[in-house]
Amino acid sequence: METPFSSAQPGTAPPPAVPLPNEPPSIVARNVNVWYGDKHAIKNVSIDIYRRQVTAFIGPSGCGKSTFLRVLNRMNDIIEGCRVTGKITLDGDDIYDPRLDVVQLRARVGMVFQKPNPFPKSIYDNVAYGPRIHGLTRSKKELDEIVEKSLRRAALWDEVKDRLDEPGTALSGGQQQRLCIARAIAVSPDVILMDEPCSALDPIATAKIEELMDELRQDYTIIIVTHSMQQAARVSQRTAFFHLGDLVEVGSTEQIFTRPQDRRTQDYITGRFG
Amino acid sequence: MSNQPAKDGIPLRSPQDAAGAAAAAVALPREAVDEAVVANRSASRHTTAEAEKRLRRRYAAQRRFKAYGITAIAIAVGALLWLLITLLANGLSAFQQTYIRLEVTLDPALVDPRGDRSEESIRTGDFGGAIRQALRERFPDVVGRERLRNLFGLLSSGAEFDVRDKVLADPSLIGTKQTFWVLASTDVDMLRKGFFERQPDGGAGGRLNAEQVAWFDQLKAAGDLDLRFNKRFFTNADSREPEMVGILGGVVGSFLTLSVCLVLCFPFGVAAAIYLEEFAPKNWFTDLIEVNINNLAAVPSIIFGLLGLAVFLNFFGMPRSAPLVGGIVLALMSLPTIIIASRAALRAVPPSIREAAYGLGASKMQVVLHHVLPLGLPGMMTGSIIAMAQALGETAPLLMIGMVAFIVGIPKGLTDSATVLPVQIFMWADNPERGFVEKTSAAILVLLAFLLTMNAIAIFLRKKFERRW
Ligand SMILES: Nc1ncnc2c1ncn2[C@@H]1O[C@H](COP(=O)(O)OP(=O)(O)OP(=O)(O)O)[C@@H](O)[C@H]1O
Ligand SMILES: [Mg+2]
């Protein structure tokens, strides 16, 4: 069976297999374990995430992709009974160091959640919230610019530019998802974690978000969780395959999709189990 | 194919037409298609006779369930209506009072003893004497102390105040003859309203003798005795005489008490709820606090009254019967209710909203103040107003701290002696005099009106601040 990699974007060459950059990885995770109460959700995962790359997390439902993503900006702190061990550094700073400020960490590591969760405020206030609490702007004009730019990049501007003061919760599911993307990039984080950002989007909006990822990749570190092999192949440079809490395999996207080392990876990407 | 336009202009297509169209499309005779459709229908496991029976049973169960609900609501509404109708039947007459029209000569010697028309002088004037004089003139053939006392018994002891107030407002009336409607006694009032039965001996209700009833009839026939709007009921405080009582004292007392209660328990309750729900660590100690708050909410209210008596009155020496102490006691009683309602309101805020805010790098304080609190506030306010409505109707704890005293003045401050509406109702209900029955019902109507207003405010606030997510 054909791998999605070769079937992606017929007629265009697949993205060049980016050699590992020489610079050190942005995020380094070593022997990370996560428990929800007694449930061992992430088992001894070690991975390097590089700057100016899109890293895709793939794997069957319930394998721990979201969990691992949330570990990276300590969103698991607010889940009761969740325990994390191991060492994770972001640009050399240990993010589980008790002295580290989580507020600052989450400003550096932004997140788009699996389920769209706009605030029950206006569209404008949704996007402006992050810049406001972090004091990123000095004038209303500057804030207006950030809001417009973020909405444009999230491919939502044209649809909402005339009703910025309407509630964000009144948008459609896919629009809400793009609003959440706009809200996350308005803070200009260093790392953006996206948990299935296109799961509710039509092909056109999906293409726009993928374009956005490609553009953001120039400056930021991006991690995306996706169930679409095609999408992983299209947008990512590196891919990590999770299975039942284990990190089975990580490597350049081309290698994972064309020469998987592990039998489980091979079965998954060819659709033999899910 | 005939498309028949329906009355509202939408073309209607009969089922036969549709079947015909299908038949035409596959070039089969219509009967064959119909049979095929029917055969297909019975082929589905969801259209067999047994399945249809099951479906009917499901609908029957649903109808039964609805019938139970409607019955329950009908019973509740019926009971409520019954209560309201009884109250209205008993209480509406209290909003009118019987007055007697008299031609009163405002003799300066009586009503202005110092003769300088000053306020102090008029206040010491004998208006009662003037009115009695007028009544004697109305019935000139009445002589003898006994009969005169009976005649004056038609008037209320409060009759003179109305006249005095009119003269105070316009001293130039002194020396002239004026027509006044003066307050009749409660017995006359009861007879006028038909609550006293006439006896064979000519008396009425066991309180009026035959001659008094005759005077009554004479006055009434002349149009000099009639029901007029009872303004006193809304401007007076308590009194020994049922025709003179008013609820203003109770209303003001309730208002002062509830103000103290609200000021104390809303901020503390909301702050406690926010801390417990958002900031407190989850351990055995906070569990213990939670259990005890729930227990406190179930403690009988009279216990809080005993606590107020022992601690605030006896230990701290605070004044008895004061709205201040009443408010504190009611606040203690309402606090657990408000905390529980507020925590429920906070817990109802979806976790995804918190996650979104945390994910953007909001601090805990910002998450609570910017997102959780605005979303939880309508619920908190509703809970608090309902707790206040409960406190408004509370009697037992206030009895313990002496708010049951007979107080004729309207309280002017938090430490004045006062009573509250429900206690006022309790005291009037306790009074054996016939005239208090209608006043009790009327006071209950007023209390219900306040409760309804508060609940309406709660609904309004919820609607106004509620936000969808
Ligand atoms: N809050 C939680 N409490 C307890 N267990 C959890 C919690 N969140 C996730 N889990 C468990 O951890 C495991 C991994 O969940 P996770 O959400 O990371 O899966 P996923 O790979 O993101 O799946 P999907 O592709 O369906 O989103 C699952 O077995 C899930 O049941
Ligand atoms: Mg997930």
Side-chain angles (χ1 to χ4, degrees), chain B residues 216-274:
Chain B
F216 171 89
D217 288 337
Q218 208 177 328
L219 282 169
K220 197 173 167 214
D224 286 338
L225 183 147
D226 211 353
L227 289 173
R228 296 164 66 94
F229 177 64
N230 185 8
K231 208 178 97 191
R232 265 196 187 77
F233 190 67
F234 298 99
T235 55
N236 263 24
D238 204 1
S239 166
R240 294 279 179 223
E241 310 298 334
E243 75 273 16
M244 282 167 63
V245 297
I247 46 159
L248 188 62
V251 169
V252 171
S254 275
F255 176 77
L256 293 174
T257 310
L258 279 191
S259 306
V260 173
C261 176
L262 183 67
V263 163
L264 287 179
C265 65
F266 186 68
F268 281 110
V270 167
I274 291 176

Short mmCIF file of all heavy atoms in Angstrom, two decimals, chain B residues 216-274:
data_model
loop_
_atom_site.label_atom_id
_atom_site.label_comp_id
_atom_site.label_asym_id
_atom_site.label_seq_id
_atom_site.Cartn_x
_atom_site.Cartn_y
_atom_site.Cartn_z
N PHE B 216 -74.57 53.32 65.21
CA PHE B 216 -73.83 52.89 64.01
C PHE B 216 -74.74 52.95 62.78
O PHE B 216 -74.39 53.52 61.74
CB PHE B 216 -73.29 51.47 64.24
CG PHE B 216 -72.70 50.81 63.03
CD1 PHE B 216 -71.36 50.95 62.72
CD2 PHE B 216 -73.50 50.04 62.19
CE1 PHE B 216 -70.82 50.33 61.60
CE2 PHE B 216 -72.97 49.43 61.06
CZ PHE B 216 -71.62 49.58 60.76
N ASP B 217 -75.95 52.35 62.95
CA ASP B 217 -76.87 52.30 61.81
C ASP B 217 -77.28 53.70 61.38
O ASP B 217 -77.37 54.00 60.19
CB ASP B 217 -78.11 51.49 62.18
CG ASP B 217 -77.79 50.01 62.28
OD1 ASP B 217 -76.78 49.59 61.66
OD2 ASP B 217 -78.50 49.28 62.98
N GLN B 218 -77.47 54.55 62.37
CA GLN B 218 -77.88 55.93 62.08
C GLN B 218 -76.80 56.66 61.29
O GLN B 218 -77.06 57.30 60.27
CB GLN B 218 -78.11 56.63 63.41
CG GLN B 218 -79.12 57.75 63.33
CD GLN B 218 -79.33 58.34 64.73
OE1 GLN B 218 -79.25 57.61 65.73
NE2 GLN B 218 -79.58 59.62 64.78
N LEU B 219 -75.53 56.51 61.76
CA LEU B 219 -74.41 57.16 61.07
C LEU B 219 -74.27 56.63 59.65
O LEU B 219 -74.08 57.37 58.70
CB LEU B 219 -73.11 56.92 61.84
CG LEU B 219 -72.90 57.78 63.08
CD1 LEU B 219 -71.73 57.26 63.88
CD2 LEU B 219 -72.67 59.24 62.69
N LYS B 220 -74.41 55.30 59.55
CA LYS B 220 -74.22 54.68 58.25
C LYS B 220 -75.31 55.13 57.28
O LYS B 220 -75.03 55.45 56.11
CB LYS B 220 -74.24 53.16 58.38
CG LYS B 220 -73.64 52.47 57.18
CD LYS B 220 -73.51 50.98 57.36
CE LYS B 220 -73.22 50.34 56.01
NZ LYS B 220 -73.83 49.03 55.89
N ALA B 221 -76.54 55.18 57.77
CA ALA B 221 -77.65 55.58 56.91
C ALA B 221 -77.45 57.00 56.43
O ALA B 221 -77.78 57.35 55.28
CB ALA B 221 -78.97 55.45 57.67
N ALA B 222 -76.86 57.85 57.28
CA ALA B 222 -76.65 59.25 56.91
C ALA B 222 -75.42 59.42 56.02
O ALA B 222 -75.11 60.52 55.58
CB ALA B 222 -76.52 60.11 58.16
N GLY B 223 -74.71 58.32 55.78
CA GLY B 223 -73.49 58.41 54.97
C GLY B 223 -72.32 59.00 55.72
O GLY B 223 -71.33 59.39 55.13
N ASP B 224 -72.44 59.02 57.05
CA ASP B 224 -71.36 59.60 57.85
C ASP B 224 -70.41 58.54 58.40
O ASP B 224 -69.57 58.84 59.24
CB ASP B 224 -71.96 60.40 59.02
CG ASP B 224 -72.57 61.70 58.53
OD1 ASP B 224 -72.15 62.13 57.44
OD2 ASP B 224 -73.45 62.25 59.22
N LEU B 225 -70.57 57.32 57.94
CA LEU B 225 -69.69 56.26 58.43
C LEU B 225 -69.32 55.42 57.21
O LEU B 225 -70.20 54.87 56.55
CB LEU B 225 -70.44 55.42 59.47
CG LEU B 225 -69.67 54.31 60.17
CD1 LEU B 225 -70.17 54.17 61.59
CD2 LEU B 225 -69.75 53.00 59.43
N ASP B 226 -68.06 55.40 56.90
CA ASP B 226 -67.69 54.68 55.67
C ASP B 226 -66.27 54.13 55.72
O ASP B 226 -65.46 54.52 56.57
CB ASP B 226 -67.85 55.61 54.46
CG ASP B 226 -68.24 54.81 53.23
OD1 ASP B 226 -68.26 53.57 53.30
OD2 ASP B 226 -68.52 55.44 52.20
N LEU B 227 -65.98 53.25 54.74
CA LEU B 227 -64.64 52.68 54.62
C LEU B 227 -63.79 53.60 53.77
O LEU B 227 -64.22 54.06 52.72
CB LEU B 227 -64.71 51.30 53.97
CG LEU B 227 -65.31 50.20 54.84
CD1 LEU B 227 -65.48 48.94 54.01
CD2 LEU B 227 -64.44 49.93 56.05
N ARG B 228 -62.61 53.87 54.24
CA ARG B 228 -61.68 54.69 53.46
C ARG B 228 -60.32 54.01 53.46
O ARG B 228 -60.03 53.18 54.30
CB ARG B 228 -61.58 56.09 54.07
CG ARG B 228 -62.89 56.86 54.01
CD ARG B 228 -62.86 58.04 54.95
NE ARG B 228 -61.89 59.03 54.53
CZ ARG B 228 -62.18 60.09 53.77
NH1 ARG B 228 -63.42 60.29 53.38
NH2 ARG B 228 -61.25 60.95 53.41
N PHE B 229 -59.47 54.40 52.50
CA PHE B 229 -58.15 53.77 52.38
C PHE B 229 -57.36 53.91 53.69
O PHE B 229 -57.32 54.97 54.29
CB PHE B 229 -57.37 54.42 51.23
CG PHE B 229 -55.97 53.87 51.09
CD1 PHE B 229 -55.77 52.55 50.77
CD2 PHE B 229 -54.87 54.68 51.32
CE1 PHE B 229 -54.50 52.03 50.64
CE2 PHE B 229 -53.59 54.16 51.21
CZ PHE B 229 -53.40 52.84 50.87
N ASN B 230 -56.75 52.81 54.12
CA ASN B 230 -56.06 52.78 55.41
C ASN B 230 -54.60 53.15 55.24
O ASN B 230 -53.73 52.31 55.16
CB ASN B 230 -56.21 51.38 56.00
CG ASN B 230 -55.63 51.29 57.39
OD1 ASN B 230 -55.24 52.30 57.98
ND2 ASN B 230 -55.60 50.08 57.92
N LYS B 231 -54.33 54.45 55.20
CA LYS B 231 -52.95 54.91 55.00
C LYS B 231 -52.08 54.53 56.18
O LYS B 231 -50.90 54.24 56.04
CB LYS B 231 -52.96 56.43 54.79
CG LYS B 231 -51.80 56.92 53.96
CD LYS B 231 -51.89 58.42 53.77
CE LYS B 231 -51.01 59.13 54.78
NZ LYS B 231 -51.22 60.56 54.84
N ARG B 232 -52.71 54.54 57.36
CA ARG B 232 -51.96 54.24 58.58
C ARG B 232 -51.22 52.91 58.50
O ARG B 232 -50.14 52.77 59.05
CB ARG B 232 -52.94 54.13 59.76
CG ARG B 232 -53.10 55.38 60.53
CD ARG B 232 -53.75 55.04 61.87
NE ARG B 232 -54.06 56.27 62.57
CZ ARG B 232 -55.09 57.02 62.26
NH1 ARG B 232 -55.90 56.66 61.28
NH2 ARG B 232 -55.32 58.13 62.93
N PHE B 233 -51.83 51.95 57.80
CA PHE B 233 -51.24 50.62 57.75
C PHE B 233 -49.83 50.68 57.15
O PHE B 233 -48.99 49.84 57.43
CB PHE B 233 -52.14 49.68 56.93
CG PHE B 233 -51.73 48.24 57.03
CD1 PHE B 233 -51.85 47.56 58.23
CD2 PHE B 233 -51.23 47.57 55.93
CE1 PHE B 233 -51.47 46.25 58.34
CE2 PHE B 233 -50.85 46.24 56.03
CZ PHE B 233 -50.97 45.58 57.24
N PHE B 234 -49.59 51.67 56.32
CA PHE B 234 -48.27 51.75 55.67
C PHE B 234 -47.36 52.78 56.32
O PHE B 234 -46.20 52.87 55.96
CB PHE B 234 -48.44 52.09 54.19
CG PHE B 234 -49.21 51.03 53.45
CD1 PHE B 234 -50.55 51.19 53.17
CD2 PHE B 234 -48.58 49.86 53.07
CE1 PHE B 234 -51.25 50.22 52.52
CE2 PHE B 234 -49.28 48.87 52.41
CZ PHE B 234 -50.62 49.04 52.13
N THR B 235 -47.88 53.58 57.25
CA THR B 235 -47.03 54.63 57.82
C THR B 235 -46.82 54.45 59.32
O THR B 235 -46.01 55.15 59.90
CB THR B 235 -47.66 56.01 57.59
OG1 THR B 235 -48.99 55.99 58.13
CG2 THR B 235 -47.73 56.35 56.13
N ASN B 236 -47.54 53.54 59.94
CA ASN B 236 -47.43 53.37 61.39
C ASN B 236 -46.59 52.16 61.73
O ASN B 236 -46.36 51.28 60.90
CB ASN B 236 -48.83 53.15 61.98
CG ASN B 236 -49.41 54.43 62.53
OD1 ASN B 236 -49.01 55.51 62.10
ND2 ASN B 236 -50.32 54.30 63.46
N ALA B 237 -46.20 52.11 63.00
CA ALA B 237 -45.59 50.90 63.53
C ALA B 237 -46.67 50.17 64.34
O ALA B 237 -47.86 50.41 64.15
CB ALA B 237 -44.38 51.24 64.37
N ASP B 238 -46.22 49.33 65.24
CA ASP B 238 -47.17 48.51 65.99
C ASP B 238 -48.00 49.38 66.93
O ASP B 238 -47.66 50.52 67.22
CB ASP B 238 -46.39 47.47 66.78
CG ASP B 238 -47.25 46.27 67.11
OD1 ASP B 238 -48.42 46.27 66.69
OD2 ASP B 238 -46.75 45.35 67.76
N SER B 239 -49.11 48.82 67.39
CA SER B 239 -49.99 49.53 68.32
C SER B 239 -50.80 48.50 69.08
O SER B 239 -50.91 47.35 68.66
CB SER B 239 -50.91 50.47 67.54
OG SER B 239 -51.95 50.91 68.39
N ARG B 240 -51.37 48.94 70.23
CA ARG B 240 -52.25 48.02 70.97
C ARG B 240 -53.60 47.93 70.29
O ARG B 240 -54.35 46.99 70.48
CB ARG B 240 -52.47 48.53 72.39
CG ARG B 240 -51.24 48.52 73.25
CD ARG B 240 -50.98 47.13 73.82
NE ARG B 240 -49.77 47.14 74.63
CZ ARG B 240 -48.85 46.20 74.58
NH1 ARG B 240 -49.00 45.17 73.77
NH2 ARG B 240 -47.79 46.27 75.33
N GLU B 241 -53.96 48.99 69.52
CA GLU B 241 -55.28 49.04 68.91
C GLU B 241 -55.21 48.56 67.47
O GLU B 241 -54.47 49.13 66.67
CB GLU B 241 -55.81 50.48 68.90
CG GLU B 241 -55.72 51.19 70.23
CD GLU B 241 -56.55 50.49 71.30
OE1 GLU B 241 -57.53 49.81 70.93
OE2 GLU B 241 -56.20 50.61 72.49
N PRO B 242 -55.98 47.55 67.13
CA PRO B 242 -55.87 46.99 65.77
C PRO B 242 -56.18 48.01 64.68
O PRO B 242 -55.63 47.92 63.58
CB PRO B 242 -56.89 45.87 65.75
CG PRO B 242 -57.60 45.88 67.04
CD PRO B 242 -56.91 46.79 67.98
N GLU B 243 -57.03 49.02 64.98
CA GLU B 243 -57.35 49.96 63.91
C GLU B 243 -56.19 50.91 63.65
O GLU B 243 -56.19 51.63 62.66
CB GLU B 243 -58.62 50.74 64.25
CG GLU B 243 -58.49 51.82 65.29
CD GLU B 243 -58.68 51.29 66.71
OE1 GLU B 243 -58.61 50.05 66.88
OE2 GLU B 243 -58.88 52.10 67.64
N MET B 244 -55.20 50.93 64.55
CA MET B 244 -54.10 51.89 64.39
C MET B 244 -52.77 51.26 63.99
O MET B 244 -51.80 51.96 63.78
CB MET B 244 -53.90 52.66 65.70
CG MET B 244 -54.94 53.74 65.89
SD MET B 244 -54.91 54.35 67.55
CE MET B 244 -53.28 55.04 67.62
N VAL B 245 -52.74 49.93 63.86
CA VAL B 245 -51.43 49.30 63.61
C VAL B 245 -50.98 49.58 62.17
O VAL B 245 -51.79 49.82 61.28
CB VAL B 245 -51.47 47.78 63.81
CG1 VAL B 245 -51.80 47.44 65.23
CG2 VAL B 245 -52.43 47.14 62.84
N GLY B 246 -49.66 49.54 62.01
CA GLY B 246 -49.07 49.67 60.68
C GLY B 246 -47.88 48.75 60.59
O GLY B 246 -47.38 48.24 61.59
N ILE B 247 -47.41 48.53 59.36
CA ILE B 247 -46.29 47.60 59.18
C ILE B 247 -44.99 48.32 58.92
O ILE B 247 -43.96 47.68 58.73
CB ILE B 247 -46.54 46.64 58.00
CG1 ILE B 247 -47.03 47.43 56.81
CG2 ILE B 247 -47.45 45.52 58.37
CD1 ILE B 247 -46.84 46.72 55.53
N LEU B 248 -45.02 49.65 58.90
CA LEU B 248 -43.79 50.35 58.52
C LEU B 248 -42.65 49.99 59.48
O LEU B 248 -41.51 49.81 59.05
CB LEU B 248 -44.01 51.86 58.48
CG LEU B 248 -42.82 52.62 57.90
CD1 LEU B 248 -42.58 52.20 56.47
CD2 LEU B 248 -43.04 54.12 57.98
N GLY B 249 -42.98 49.87 60.78
CA GLY B 249 -41.95 49.51 61.75
C GLY B 249 -41.29 48.20 61.38
O GLY B 249 -40.06 48.08 61.36
N GLY B 250 -42.12 47.20 61.05
CA GLY B 250 -41.58 45.90 60.68
C GLY B 250 -40.79 45.96 59.38
O GLY B 250 -39.73 45.35 59.25
N VAL B 251 -41.31 46.73 58.43
CA VAL B 251 -40.62 46.82 57.14
C VAL B 251 -39.25 47.47 57.31
O VAL B 251 -38.24 46.96 56.82
CB VAL B 251 -41.48 47.61 56.13
CG1 VAL B 251 -40.68 47.95 54.89
CG2 VAL B 251 -42.71 46.82 55.75
N VAL B 252 -39.22 48.58 58.06
CA VAL B 252 -37.93 49.25 58.27
C VAL B 252 -36.99 48.35 59.05
O VAL B 252 -35.80 48.22 58.73
CB VAL B 252 -38.15 50.61 58.98
CG1 VAL B 252 -36.82 51.21 59.39
CG2 VAL B 252 -38.90 51.55 58.08
N GLY B 253 -37.54 47.67 60.08
CA GLY B 253 -36.71 46.76 60.85
C GLY B 253 -36.14 45.66 59.97
O GLY B 253 -34.95 45.34 60.03
N SER B 254 -36.98 45.09 59.12
CA SER B 254 -36.51 44.04 58.21
C SER B 254 -35.44 44.58 57.28
O SER B 254 -34.43 43.93 57.01
CB SER B 254 -37.67 43.51 57.37
OG SER B 254 -38.35 42.51 58.07
N PHE B 255 -35.67 45.79 56.77
CA PHE B 255 -34.72 46.38 55.83
C PHE B 255 -33.35 46.56 56.50
O PHE B 255 -32.32 46.17 55.95
CB PHE B 255 -35.25 47.71 55.31
CG PHE B 255 -34.29 48.43 54.43
CD1 PHE B 255 -34.13 48.02 53.12
CD2 PHE B 255 -33.54 49.48 54.90
CE1 PHE B 255 -33.22 48.66 52.30
CE2 PHE B 255 -32.63 50.13 54.08
CZ PHE B 255 -32.48 49.72 52.78
N LEU B 256 -33.37 47.14 57.72
CA LEU B 256 -32.09 47.37 58.41
C LEU B 256 -31.40 46.05 58.71
O LEU B 256 -30.20 45.88 58.47
CB LEU B 256 -32.34 48.13 59.72
CG LEU B 256 -32.84 49.57 59.56
CD1 LEU B 256 -33.19 50.17 60.91
CD2 LEU B 256 -31.79 50.42 58.87
N THR B 257 -32.18 45.09 59.19
CA THR B 257 -31.60 43.79 59.55
C THR B 257 -30.99 43.11 58.33
O THR B 257 -29.86 42.61 58.37
CB THR B 257 -32.69 42.89 60.16
OG1 THR B 257 -33.36 43.63 61.18
CG2 THR B 257 -32.10 41.64 60.74
N LEU B 258 -31.75 43.14 57.22
CA LEU B 258 -31.25 42.47 56.01
C LEU B 258 -30.05 43.20 55.44
O LEU B 258 -29.16 42.57 54.87
CB LEU B 258 -32.35 42.40 54.95
CG LEU B 258 -33.36 41.27 55.14
CD1 LEU B 258 -34.21 41.14 53.91
CD2 LEU B 258 -32.66 39.97 55.44
N SER B 259 -30.02 44.52 55.57
CA SER B 259 -28.85 45.26 55.07
C SER B 259 -27.60 44.80 55.81
O SER B 259 -26.57 44.51 55.19
CB SER B 259 -29.03 46.76 55.28
OG SER B 259 -30.23 47.19 54.71
N VAL B 260 -27.69 44.73 57.14
CA VAL B 260 -26.55 44.26 57.92
C VAL B 260 -26.17 42.85 57.46
O VAL B 260 -25.00 42.55 57.21
CB VAL B 260 -26.89 44.25 59.43
CG1 VAL B 260 -25.77 43.59 60.22
CG2 VAL B 260 -27.12 45.66 59.91
N CYS B 261 -27.19 42.02 57.29
CA CYS B 261 -26.96 40.62 56.91
C CYS B 261 -26.25 40.55 55.56
O CYS B 261 -25.24 39.86 55.40
CB CYS B 261 -28.30 39.90 56.87
SG CYS B 261 -28.20 38.22 56.32
N LEU B 262 -26.74 41.32 54.59
CA LEU B 262 -26.16 41.26 53.24
C LEU B 262 -24.72 41.76 53.23
O LEU B 262 -23.83 41.14 52.65
CB LEU B 262 -27.01 42.09 52.28
CG LEU B 262 -26.55 42.05 50.83
CD1 LEU B 262 -26.76 40.67 50.26
CD2 LEU B 262 -27.30 43.06 49.98
N VAL B 263 -24.51 42.90 53.91
CA VAL B 263 -23.17 43.49 53.93
C VAL B 263 -22.18 42.51 54.55
O VAL B 263 -21.02 42.42 54.14
CB VAL B 263 -23.20 44.81 54.72
CG1 VAL B 263 -21.81 45.24 55.12
CG2 VAL B 263 -23.88 45.87 53.89
N LEU B 264 -22.65 41.74 55.53
CA LEU B 264 -21.73 40.80 56.17
C LEU B 264 -21.56 39.53 55.36
O LEU B 264 -20.45 39.05 55.17
CB LEU B 264 -22.24 40.43 57.56
CG LEU B 264 -22.09 41.52 58.61
CD1 LEU B 264 -22.66 41.04 59.93
CD2 LEU B 264 -20.63 41.88 58.78
N CYS B 265 -22.65 38.96 54.87
CA CYS B 265 -22.50 37.60 54.37
C CYS B 265 -22.17 37.53 52.88
O CYS B 265 -21.57 36.56 52.46
CB CYS B 265 -23.67 36.70 54.73
SG CYS B 265 -25.21 37.18 54.01
N PHE B 266 -22.51 38.54 52.07
CA PHE B 266 -22.17 38.41 50.64
C PHE B 266 -20.66 38.43 50.42
O PHE B 266 -20.10 37.50 49.85
CB PHE B 266 -22.89 39.46 49.80
CG PHE B 266 -22.69 39.27 48.33
CD1 PHE B 266 -23.24 38.17 47.68
CD2 PHE B 266 -21.92 40.15 47.59
CE1 PHE B 266 -23.04 37.97 46.33
CE2 PHE B 266 -21.72 39.95 46.24
CZ PHE B 266 -22.28 38.86 45.60
N PRO B 267 -19.95 39.47 50.89
CA PRO B 267 -18.50 39.47 50.64
C PRO B 267 -17.79 38.28 51.28
O PRO B 267 -16.96 37.63 50.64
CB PRO B 267 -18.01 40.78 51.26
CG PRO B 267 -19.19 41.51 51.74
CD PRO B 267 -20.40 40.67 51.60
N PHE B 268 -18.16 37.97 52.54
CA PHE B 268 -17.48 36.86 53.21
C PHE B 268 -17.80 35.54 52.53
O PHE B 268 -16.93 34.70 52.33
CB PHE B 268 -17.88 36.80 54.68
CG PHE B 268 -17.16 37.80 55.53
CD1 PHE B 268 -17.83 38.88 56.07
CD2 PHE B 268 -15.80 37.67 55.77
CE1 PHE B 268 -17.17 39.82 56.85
CE2 PHE B 268 -15.12 38.61 56.54
CZ PHE B 268 -15.81 39.69 57.08
N GLY B 269 -19.07 35.37 52.17
CA GLY B 269 -19.48 34.12 51.55
C GLY B 269 -18.79 33.90 50.22
O GLY B 269 -18.25 32.83 49.94
N VAL B 270 -18.78 34.96 49.39
CA VAL B 270 -18.17 34.84 48.07
C VAL B 270 -16.66 34.63 48.20
O VAL B 270 -16.07 33.77 47.53
CB VAL B 270 -18.50 36.08 47.22
CG1 VAL B 270 -17.64 36.12 45.98
CG2 VAL B 270 -19.96 36.08 46.86
N ALA B 271 -16.04 35.39 49.10
CA ALA B 271 -14.59 35.23 49.27
C ALA B 271 -14.27 33.82 49.76
O ALA B 271 -13.34 33.18 49.25
CB ALA B 271 -14.08 36.27 50.27
N ALA B 272 -15.04 33.33 50.71
CA ALA B 272 -14.78 31.97 51.22
C ALA B 272 -14.96 30.95 50.11
O ALA B 272 -14.15 30.03 49.95
CB ALA B 272 -15.73 31.67 52.38
N ALA B 273 -16.02 31.13 49.30
CA ALA B 273 -16.26 30.17 48.22
C ALA B 273 -15.12 30.19 47.22
O ALA B 273 -14.63 29.14 46.79
CB ALA B 273 -17.58 30.49 47.53
N ILE B 274 -14.67 31.39 46.85
CA ILE B 274 -13.58 31.47 45.86
C ILE B 274 -12.32 30.83 46.42
O ILE B 274 -11.65 30.04 45.74
CB ILE B 274 -13.31 32.93 45.48
CG1 ILE B 274 -14.48 33.49 44.69
CG2 ILE B 274 -12.03 33.05 44.68
CD1 ILE B 274 -14.35 34.95 44.36
#
